[in-house]
Amino acid sequence: MANISSAGVGSGLQVESIISGLMSAERQPLTKLQAQQTSYQSKISAIGTLKSALAALQTAAKALTPATLQSPSAAFSAYKASIADSTIATATTTNAAVAGTYSLEVTALASNQRMALGKTYGSSDAVLDFGTDSTRTLTITKGGTPVDITLDSSQNTLAGVRDAINNAAAGVNATIVTDTSGKQNLLLTATTGGTANAVSISGTAEFIDPAAPGTPIAASSAFTQTQAATDAVVKMQGVSIATSGNTITDAIDGVTLELTKTGSTTLTVTRDNTDLKSKLDAFITAYNSLNSSIKSLGAYNASTKTGAALNGDSSLRSIQSQVRTALTTVPASLEGSSVRTLSDLGISFQTDGSLKADTSKFDKASSADFAAVANAIGAYGSALKTTTTNLLDSSGVIASRTDGLNASVKNMTKRIDAFNTRLTAIEKTYRAQFTALDTSMSSMSTTSSYLSQQLTLLSNMSQY
């Protein structure tokens, strides 16, 4: 390496400068290859941006597509209920509700059944007689469903029994009350009112009678009812309705009432398009984001004469065309409908290709014929879902274009590596050639100097 680094020293030839200039010219094709590879990588990144925008639009389209065997009206219908006097009752709805106004009269609320243990005990007194058994069972039956609570000697106080009952979630709440003499009693209260929610006590558990310890009291007769369960008395539109506690689920389709006090009021059920509008807004936002991405990725700057990453790219045009077609082609299922186009839904294209919603127009169409509006939304949602799914499929435009670009990058990498190898060999050849030239020129320079010296001597000798 020493002779190469000193090339040109003997002859004065600027070998390094010459080689550097020659190699700069040789590298020009490599620069073009690297620029082409960078272009491919930029296109891959741009396709990734398109993919993300399409995925967001696909999600929005799915939200506007009814489930299999579900009608659009059922998928998009939503209602809200309001009660004039909210202290009398509250109401919730499902999509099975029907808009309307109803009079509501609550004459009586349902009461919860209450029971008390017939005997009182000290706080540390044993309350259960286990006999020769290690455990006994207390069974609480509510609405025909029994719950068995297993008790052992570690729970043999009123507090132990109370905690076991409450932990079992058997449909009753157990509490302890203490009288003026310090004696305790156990009270049971049904968790919900109404005769259907009344409870009964049974099981193998036996309670100790403080007055006759040798004669325990069976669980079935140990408790006394202090308040019977009763149903609410309610009229809807003047018609008495069946009740099961203070929660009424079947008086009006799709409406659940929770009664809180007696009195007369009015229940109003109206259509609620809040969620549907939110889904449409999400769709418009997702489409506009895609539209913006397509415009920016395919742009051309006339001033600088440069194009964006996907300027002139066929995949970009294909995506734009397919999505636009899905939104402008009237689905066959809407032929003859009063609502056929996005414009009929109050959604229109702007001059820049974006979408904009007219809420007033949508509300008017929805009020006039909600079923037609729902059918149109479902039809366009389905069409757009199909289109975006196909575009994002493993055999779709996005995957195909990405695979092609990745293959181009891989091929370009091989070409760049091969070219770099070639450049290394070329530089080696140049260095060998110019080193040899430098050596020859240095030798010739030495010979020239010698001959000049000899000629000078001869000339000097001829003068004598």
Side-chain angles (χ1 to χ4, degrees):
M1 294 297 291
N3 63 330
I4 293 178
S5 64
S6 61
V9 172
S11 65
L13 188 67
Q14 301 297 315
V15 175
E16 289 300 327
S17 178
I18 293 171
I19 292 176
S20 177
L22 289 171
M23 290 309 299
S24 178
E26 293 285 356
R27 288 192 181 91
Q28 288 182 5
L30 175 63
T31 301
K32 292 181 179 180
L33 290 176
Q34 291 172 329
Q36 188 63 55
Q37 185 181 53
T38 299
S39 174
Y40 289 144
Q41 291 169 334
S42 295
K43 289 180 184 294
I44 291 173
S45 177
I47 291 294
T49 298
L50 274 182
K51 183 178 181 180
S52 295
L54 273 173
L57 185 58
Q58 180 191 46
T59 298
K62 287 180 177 179
L64 297 177
T65 306
T68 303
L69 302 180
Q70 183 183 35
S71 71
S73 291
F76 303 130
S77 288
Y79 294 86
K80 59 183 178 181
S82 61
I83 295 180
D85 186 347
S86 59
T87 65
I88 293 176
T90 58
T92 56
T93 61
T94 68
N95 60 7
V98 178
T101 301
Y102 311 88
S103 64
L104 174 64
E105 181 184 355
V106 181
T107 304
L109 294 176
S111 62
N112 300 54
Q113 181 188 22
R114 297 179 185 275
M115 306 176 76
L117 192 58
K119 302 298 179 180
T120 59
Y121 305 86
S123 61
S124 60
D125 290 349
V127 298
L128 297 172
D129 186 340
F130 287 94
T132 60
D133 300 325
S134 59
T135 63
R136 290 291 179 99
T137 300
L138 183 66
T139 302
I140 298 177
T141 303
K142 178 182 178 181
T145 303
V147 175
D148 292 330
I149 303 169
T150 301
L151 302 166
D152 59 36
S153 58
S154 67
Q155 298 162 298
N156 199 6
T157 61
L158 276 189
V161 175
R162 175 200 61 195
D163 293 344
I165 292 173
N166 289 335
N167 290 336
V172 296
N173 290 324
T175 57
I176 291 176
V177 294
T178 304
D179 62 23
T180 56
S181 64
K183 293 294 186 178
Q184 295 182 337
N185 200 339
L186 185 66
L187 304 183
L188 303 182
T189 304
T191 54
T192 50
T195 56
N197 297 309
V199 300
S200 61
I201 309 296
S202 60
T204 61
E206 295 183 328
F207 288 84
I208 296 172
D209 182 351
T215 309
I217 306 169
S220 57
S221 55
F223 289 87
T224 301
Q225 179 173 277
T226 57
Q227 178 176 293
T230 62
D231 291 327
V233 179
V234 183
K235 288 184 179 181
M236 184 71 68
Q237 291 293 92
V239 178
S240 296
I241 58 177
T243 65
S244 178
N246 292 315
T247 301
I248 302 174
T249 59
D250 52 6
I252 304 177
D253 290 339
V255 178
T256 296
L257 295 173
E258 193 69 42
L259 308 179
T260 51
K261 80 171 189 178
T262 59
S264 298
T265 188
T266 301
L267 165 68
T268 302
V269 180
T270 56
R271 186 178 295 282
D272 183 9
N273 290 328
T274 302
D275 184 60
L276 180 55
K277 286 181 179 179
S278 177
K279 291 177 179 179
L280 287 172
D281 286 343
F283 150 68
I284 291 173
T285 297
Y287 175 81
N288 287 344
S289 177
L290 174 64
N291 178 65
S292 178
S293 293
I294 289 174
K295 288 181 63 178
S296 62
L297 294 174
Y300 179 77
N301 189 321
S303 299
T304 60
K305 296 183 179 180
T306 56
L310 297 180
N311 175 254
D313 194 290
S314 61
S315 61
L316 185 70
R317 294 193 300 272
S318 177
I319 291 170
Q320 184 179 42
S321 175
Q322 290 186 54
V323 172
R324 187 69 179 253
T325 297
L327 297 179
T328 56
T329 301
V330 177
S333 62
L334 299 182
E335 291 298 335
S337 173
S338 61
V339 181
R340 301 174 63 252
T341 66
L342 288 181
S343 179
D344 293 333
L345 293 169
I347 301 173
S348 57
F349 284 96
Q350 306 301 293
T351 55
D352 63 354
S354 64
L355 291 175
K356 184 178 181 180
D358 183 336
T359 302
S360 297
K361 190 172 183 179
F362 175 82
D363 289 340
K364 184 177 180 181
S366 178
S367 297
D369 191 344
F370 181 80
V373 167
N375 288 337
I377 292 174
Y380 281 103
S382 179
L384 190 59
K385 185 186 79 169
T386 299
T387 297
T388 52
T389 298
N390 289 339
L391 288 171
L392 293 168
D393 188 72
S394 58
S395 60
V397 172
I398 293 290
S400 297
R401 188 69 177 112
T402 301
D403 290 344
L405 289 169
N406 281 326
S408 296
V409 169
K410 185 177 181 180
N411 178 60
M412 197 59 64
T413 299
K414 291 180 179 178
R415 292 179 62 184
I416 289 172
D417 290 343
F419 203 90
N420 278 320
T421 300
R422 180 170 173 268
L423 286 175
T424 299
I426 289 174
E427 183 175 4
K428 184 177 181 180
T429 299
Y430 279 151
R431 286 190 177 280
Q433 291 174 341
F434 281 99
T435 296
L437 178 60
D438 176 50
T439 301
S440 296
M441 290 180 66
S442 177
S443 177
M444 291 175 64
S445 178
T446 301
T447 301
S448 175
S449 296
Y450 174 76
L451 290 175
S452 295
Q453 182 183 24
Q454 294 303 311
L455 289 172
T456 301
L457 288 174
L458 287 174
S459 176
N460 290 334
M461 291 176 63
S462 65
Q463 294 178 4
Y464 293 100

